[in-house]
Amino acid sequence: MATSAKPHIIDLPRIYDPRGNLSFIQNGDKELPFDIERVYWIYDVPAGEERGAHSHIHAKSLIVANSGSFNVNLFDGHEWYRFTLNRPYQGLYVPNGYWRTLDNFASGSVCMVLTSTTYSEDDYIRDFDEFMKQTQTDE
Ligand code: TYD
């Protein structure tokens, strides 16, 4: 499997300010293992809904809970990694090659995803059996 590192939480800078706090990330930061090509965000998720359920062949991601709280569940074909994101000053790095689902969204949550590629459906594996087959082929 073409994974470059394990999923992990990246602590982002926090600029404390009585007017409101600020965090950021940019290309070239040593904590960010890829250059950002695209940003998308998921919001208005109804209670009990699940997002994701796919893996990416090439795209790497950084997932941030801009608001609220949700779980990110990652599977490398052997092991599940589960993270609860609820801090806008932390990002979860997700390498390519991991099956992922997002669930347990609190009302009002905003999930921002920074990713290393522009959108291409060809980069997705959306069938879990196909993902498992691919994982075993790559080993
Ligand atoms: P989908 O990949 O199913 O969302 P999730 O993050 O829950 O897996 O995407 C939903 C729809 O949005 C699908 O038709 C593809 C489209 N889409 C884009 O057009 N551009 C994008 O950057 C993304 C992430 C999705």
Side-chain angles (χ1 to χ4, degrees):
M1 177 177 308
T3 51
S4 47
K6 297 245 183 246
H8 60 271
I9 296 287
I10 295 174
D11 287 317
L12 306 174
R14 296 166 78 179
I15 311 293
Y16 296 100
D17 192 314
R19 299 172 303 158
N21 300 330
L22 182 153
S23 291
F24 60 90
I25 193 155
Q26 58 191 339
N27 289 342
D29 286 352
K30 66 177 182 339
E31 301 82 4
L32 185 65
F34 60 88
D35 278 348
I36 300 160
E37 278 287 332
R38 177 170 49 114
V39 181
Y40 64 92
W41 46 99
I42 295 170
Y43 50 95
D44 292 346
V45 179
E49 278 296 345
E50 179 187 276
R51 298 294 310 220
H54 59 68
S55 97
H56 285 287
I57 298 165
H58 295 111
K60 301 169 170 53
S61 303
L62 187 78
I63 304 180
V64 180
N66 278 357
S67 180
S69 171
F70 51 86
N71 293 344
V72 183
N73 313 295
L74 302 171
F75 187 55
D76 65 5
H78 298 286
E79 199 178 339
W80 281 95
Y81 302 78
R82 297 180 193 279
F83 297 86
T84 299
L85 298 187
N86 54 16
R87 299 193 166 103
Y89 51 86
Q90 289 186 332
L92 172 63
Y93 171 59
V94 182
N96 53 310
Y98 281 76
W99 186 262
R100 76 191 194 206
T101 62
L102 292 81
D103 60 15
N104 205 23
F105 282 84
S107 174
S109 294
V110 180
C111 167
M112 180 179 72
V113 184
L114 316 179
T115 183
S116 63
T117 67
T118 54
Y119 175 75
S120 167
E121 192 56 36
D122 292 345
D123 193 52
Y124 284 77
I125 300 174
R126 293 188 183 273
D127 180 83
F128 186 74
D129 292 340
E130 176 60 26
F131 167 75
M132 288 305 291
K133 215 186 303 170
Q134 199 71 40
T135 303
Q136 277 143 25
T137 308
D138 290 351
E139 281 176 354

